[in-house]
Amino acid sequence: MTIKFIRACVIAIGALAWVASSHAETVETAPGVTVTKKTFAAPIDEQPFFGFADKTPEQRKADSDFLAEADKLGSREKVFDVAIERGFAHIDRGDFPEAAQRFNQAWLLAPERSAVYQGFAVVAAARFGDLEYAEELFKIALHQPKPRPTLKADYGRLLLKAKRPAEAKTILEEGVRDAPDFADGWASLGLARLQTGDAPGACTAASEASKLKLSGQVVSDLVMLKRQAACP
C-alpha cells in the first residue's frame, strides 16, 4: 500500500465526513425556527427539546394536560416566566437535569421565545459539553423575541470556553451594558480583556463584579483573574 494511496483514502474519508455533517438533520422547533437534531445520553425531559423523541400517547397527554393547566391559570405567559426563572435558578445551583425539565416546559408554552434557546444552550454546554450545538442555540436566541438581559453574557462565556477571547470580548462588552448587575458577565469580560492583552481593563471589570452578588463560579474566576492581571 503506497503513501499516495493512503493519502487518497484519508482525503476521501474526510470528504465523506464533511458531506455527512453538511447534511445534518434539522427540526423545526417553532414557526420559522430550525435547529440541528441532537440527542444526548439522558432521559428525554433532561435533553433540549425532549431529545426530539417520538412521544408515547401518555407523554403527549401529559403535555396537553400541562398546557390546559397553564390556560386555567389565565396566562401561558406567566407560567412561561415562572418555568424560565426556575430553570435558570437551577442553572445557578448546577442542577442541569432539573433546569432542562423547566426549559422543556417553557418550550411547550412558547416555543419561539429567546429564553428557551438560551437555557438549552447553557445546558448543552455545561452538562453535555457540546459547545458547537450551544453556539447554534445562542445564535438563534439572539434573533428570537423577548431575550433575557443575560443572553450576551452567557454567550460570551461560551466563546471564552471555546478559546475565542476576542469574539467573547465583543459580545461581553455588550452583555454588561444589557445586564450591568450580572456579576458573571463582568467576570467573564474581565477574563476576555485579560486574554486579549488588556490587564487594566480586566481589573476594572473585576472591580465591577466584586460589587455585585457573586455565584460560586464567579468567586473562583475573580480570584484567578485578579492574580493573573496583578490587580491592586
Side-chain angles (χ1 to χ4, degrees):
M1 186 179 294
T2 67
I3 293 177
K4 182 180 291 186
F5 177 77
I6 293 172
R7 287 176 177 170
C9 289
V10 170
I11 292 171
I13 292 170
L16 287 172
W18 181 86
V19 169
S21 64
S22 67
H23 288 81
E25 185 177 356
T26 60
V27 179
E28 187 173 62
T29 54
V33 180
T34 57
V35 305
T36 302
K37 185 177 182 180
K38 283 277 188 93
T39 59
F40 300 96
I44 66 169
D45 62 346
E46 296 177 13
Q47 300 180 55
F49 312 104
F50 291 103
F52 304 100
D54 292 326
K55 293 185 177 180
T56 65
E58 292 78 11
Q59 290 168 332
R60 290 194 293 271
K61 182 178 184 304
D63 290 346
S64 297
D65 290 346
F66 170 71
L67 293 175
E69 286 298 316
D71 290 336
K72 286 180 183 178
L73 294 173
S75 171
R76 288 192 183 188
E77 178 84 10
K78 291 181 180 178
V79 180
F80 173 91
D81 289 341
V82 170
I84 285 294
E85 291 309 314
R86 287 181 177 174
F88 280 99
H90 287 299
I91 290 289
D92 290 342
R93 292 192 287 270
D95 187 351
F96 301 112
E98 189 69 27
Q101 291 173 8
R102 302 287 79 77
F103 296 142
N104 274 316
Q105 288 179 335
W107 179 50
L108 292 175
L109 291 159
E112 77 288 351
R113 290 279 293 273
S114 171
V116 170
Y117 299 88
Q118 179 184 354
F120 283 147
V122 174
V123 171
R127 182 180 183 187
F128 300 114
D130 193 331
L131 304 189
E132 181 181 1
Y133 191 45
E135 182 169 14
E136 176 185 337
L137 298 176
F138 272 127
K139 286 181 176 179
I140 292 171
L142 289 171
H143 299 287
Q144 294 306 111
K146 298 186 178 181
R148 287 169 58 86
T150 59
L151 170 58
K152 290 180 180 177
D154 283 348
Y155 183 22
R157 187 169 187 84
L158 174 83
L159 293 173
L160 278 177
K161 289 182 179 179
K163 302 186 186 306
R164 292 153 60 187
E167 294 173 70
K169 180 178 176 295
T170 299
I171 291 291
L172 289 164
E173 295 285 3
E174 298 176 12
V176 296
R177 290 195 290 270
D178 292 345
D181 296 329
F182 187 45
D184 294 53
W186 283 107
S188 295
L189 177 58
L191 291 171
R193 286 175 174 174
L194 179 63
Q195 292 172 25
T196 53
D198 181 9
C203 291
T204 299
S207 176
E208 292 296 327
S210 297
K211 300 173 186 176
L212 303 170
K213 182 180 178 181
L214 304 177
S215 67
Q217 179 63 53
V218 172
V219 170
S220 60
D221 284 349
L222 284 179
V223 170
M224 177 184 68
L225 173 59
K226 290 178 179 180
R227 183 177 64 250
Q228 292 183 353
C231 299

